[in-house]
């Protein structure tokens, strides 16, 4: 997971988010033990060269699940070699085994390689995405 975070930091040009406050081993072990958290990595000669992180969402309106790809990246020197497609295909197998009915992902405008990949793999929907701030309370009030 630490190596995957390094791949994400480079791919997204965001070392602040992925490298600055690294989670503890206990946190990562807890995260990995949750069956609703999925992490897949692509290895070349034992090195993590790509991967994805996804979350299983249990729906309330029916007994079914959907899977959200939160992060997907491949190291620059390994892009356009089929790694991202292979990761998504593997996730499709996992999703099928779990009884999930859909996998969804979002891409940023201007990220043409990601948009091309996702259009190749599925149906495009135009949506609006909103970030809603969470007020942070002092620890004593929690």
């Amino acid at each position: 997971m630490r190596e995957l975070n390094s791949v994400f930091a480079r791919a997204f040009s965001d070392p602040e988010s992925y490298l600055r406050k690294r989670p503890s081993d206990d946190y990562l072990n807890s995260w990995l033990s949750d069956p609703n958290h999925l992490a897949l990595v692509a290895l070349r000669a034992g090195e993590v060269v790509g991967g994805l992180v996804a979350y299983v969402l249990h729906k309330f309106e029916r007994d079914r699940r959907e899977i959200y790809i939160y992060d997907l990246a491949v190291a620059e020197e390994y892009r356009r070699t089929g790694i991202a497609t292979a990761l998504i295909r593997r996730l499709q197998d996992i999703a099928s085994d779990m009884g999930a009915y859909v996998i969804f992902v979002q891409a940023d405008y201007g990220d043409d390689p990601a948009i091309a990949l996702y259009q190749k793999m599925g149906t495009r929907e135009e949506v609006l995405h909103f970030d809603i701030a969470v007020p942070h309370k002092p620890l004593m009030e929690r």
Side-chain angles (χ1 to χ4, degrees), residues 38-90:
L38 305 171
L40 303 176
V41 296
L43 300 172
R44 288 278 164 94
E47 175 189 355
V48 174
V49 297
L52 69 76
V53 170
Y55 296 91
V56 179
L57 304 172
H58 296 264
K59 303 301 287 181
F60 69 91
E61 72 279 5
R62 289 189 187 173
D63 181 3
R64 64 182 184 177
R65 286 147 222 63
E66 52 188 44
I67 297 176
Y68 173 57
I69 298 174
Y70 183 75
D71 278 331
L72 169 62
V74 175
E76 189 170 2
E77 60 271 25
Y78 294 100
R79 291 181 189 157
R80 305 205 52 80
T81 64
I83 291 173
T85 299
L87 288 164
I88 293 172
R89 294 275 186 239
R90 180 67 185 115

Side-chain angles (χ1 to χ4, degrees), residues 112-126:
D112 295 337
I115 292 168
L117 171 66
Y118 301 144
Q119 282 185 181
K120 173 178 84 172
M121 311 272 322
T123 304
R124 180 176 174 160
E125 293 185 31
E126 295 291 329

Side-chain angles (χ1 to χ4, degrees), residues 105-109 111 114-115 118:
V105 63
Q106 66 186 46
D108 294 328
Y109 287 106
D111 189 350
I115 292 168
Y118 301 144

